[in-house]
Every structure is written in C-alpha cells, then in structure tokens.
Amino acid sequence: YGMVPNALKEKFPDARIKDQGIWGTYQRPAFLDPTDPLFDKLAAIYYEEQKNLFGEAQFFGGDPFHEGGATDGVALGDAGRAIQKTMQKHFPGSIWVLQGWQDNPKPGLLEKLDKRYVLVQELFGENTNNWETRKGYEGTPFIWATVTNFGERPGINGKLQRFADEVYRASNSEYAKYMKGVGILPEGINNNPVTYELLLELVWHKD
C-alpha cells in the first residue's frame, strides 16, 4: 500500500518516493506513490510472496498516512484507486481493511475506490463517532469497534452503556446500510471479559 524503506530512494532516485517525517521519535517509512510505475513492480513481488507463504487471502490491512505522514503532492483518489487495482489484480475479490482512526482513512483516499471491496474499522467507538460525522465514511462499509485497551494495560473497566447506546444508534441510523457488524481491536487481549462479551452480544439483539 505504498510503505517502503527510506533507503529505496537511493536505489530508485527517479521514483516518486516521499519522505514521511517523524512519528513520535521514530523515522516513518517512506511512501512510494502508487501511481509510479515502480509501485506495480514492487507490489507484484509482495503479493507473490504473500501467496507463496500464506496461500489465498481475502483481507488485506494497510493504512497509508496512519497517524500523520505527508500527503502533499499525492493525488489521494488516484493513489487509493491504484492500490486497490493492484490488490484486486493479484487477489481478486479481496477486501482492503482500513482503520477509522483520527482523520483516517482520509476522504480523498476513499473517493475513487470500489466500495464493495473496502471495510473501515471504526476504531475508537468508545470515545468517537466518526461513522456519523463522516456520513458512514462517505458511504463505505464499516464495523463499529472499540480499542478500550491501549498498550495491554490490565484493568476491569469499560463504557458498557456507551457500547449499548452507540451500537444501537449506529445500526438504526441513516448509515445503517453501511454498518456490517462490531469488532474489538485492543492492543492486548485476555482481559476485560465483561466488556468484550457485552459488545459481541449486542449484534444479536434488536433492542
């Protein structure tokens, strides 16, 4: 989906490879513009190795510009379409899974995608309602999900009423046709059983 080692610029100086700056205290990987001819060549190697190692796949995760990154000079709509086109070429019918986190996925990235093959995870549902403010992620299939646990911190806690209210509200909203379920996306598991059992139980109830 465009992330490449920064050193690739030394080997392919003419390719459209953009520095992505710093994340926290770490150098972010560079971004190879998916409309550059080099992208298809590298993606073909990547997908071939994926198939050799794991066989056929239905879902691929990959978030360009997650938590920042430089988009200046990148035609986001064309970039998104190029990423999806290459993915479909190598794995027809596969779903591109994107994280609904902060301002991602950026609206421009979604605008030229075939939405049948995209799924956005509303990542931080316990605190935000991006599914609503972004009008169902501009008409993209999504799941309502919670992080709840950051950094695998142990604790028995959770916004149980928020889960019940928001899942009900989203599944009965004008964007309900885009909502495909619920999910848990913690940064640590085997904790908070009541929280996760409640959330996963909600999809079986109308009220």
Side-chain angles (χ1 to χ4, degrees), residues 24-76:
T25 59
Y26 300 99
Q27 174 66 48
R28 294 175 64 101
F31 181 71
L32 169 61
D33 191 323
T35 63
D36 188 288
L38 181 61
F39 179 86
D40 276 345
K41 293 179 181 178
L42 293 185
I45 296 170
Y46 172 80
Y47 286 121
E48 181 181 358
E49 291 304 315
Q50 285 281 315
K51 196 169 292 186
N52 289 338
L53 287 168
F54 304 115
E56 294 297 326
Q58 187 178 358
F59 299 95
F60 286 95
D63 293 76
F65 317 112
H66 183 68
E67 293 192 1
T71 60
D72 296 344
V74 177
L76 288 177

Side-chain angles (χ1 to χ4, degrees), residues 61-119:
D63 293 76
F65 317 112
H66 183 68
E67 293 192 1
T71 60
D72 296 344
V74 177
L76 288 177
D78 294 336
R81 181 169 56 189
I83 292 169
Q84 187 181 59
K85 180 180 177 182
T86 304
M87 188 183 297
Q88 292 299 317
K89 175 182 177 182
H90 294 279
F91 286 84
S94 59
I95 307 296
W96 187 7
V97 182
L98 292 161
Q99 297 179 89
W101 176 253
Q102 298 175 353
D103 66 342
N104 286 322
K106 299 186 184 306
L109 191 73
L110 296 174
E111 67 181 8
K112 294 185 178 181
L113 297 182
D114 185 336
K115 302 293 183 64
R116 294 176 300 170
Y117 305 110
V118 185
L119 179 66

Side-chain angles (χ1 to χ4, degrees), residues 102-176:
Q102 298 175 353
D103 66 342
N104 286 322
K106 299 186 184 306
L109 191 73
L110 296 174
E111 67 181 8
K112 294 185 178 181
L113 297 182
D114 185 336
K115 302 293 183 64
R116 294 176 300 170
Y117 305 110
V118 185
L119 179 66
V120 176
Q121 301 174 107
E122 167 86 359
L123 208 62
F124 200 27
E126 69 266 35
N127 273 35
T128 62
N129 60 323
N130 289 342
W131 63 268
E132 182 176 34
T133 57
R134 292 198 43 186
K135 298 179 169 50
Y137 288 96
E138 294 83 50
T140 307
F142 71 90
I143 62 171
W144 191 97
T146 176
V147 177
T148 297
N149 182 291
F150 288 92
E152 201 165 8
R153 294 181 177 91
I156 303 299
N157 55 70
K159 299 182 178 180
L160 303 186
Q161 190 63 56
R162 166 83 178 184
F163 290 178
D165 292 344
E166 282 294 283
V167 169
Y168 177 82
R169 201 165 70 84
S171 60
N172 287 277
S173 73
E174 60 186 301
Y175 311 115

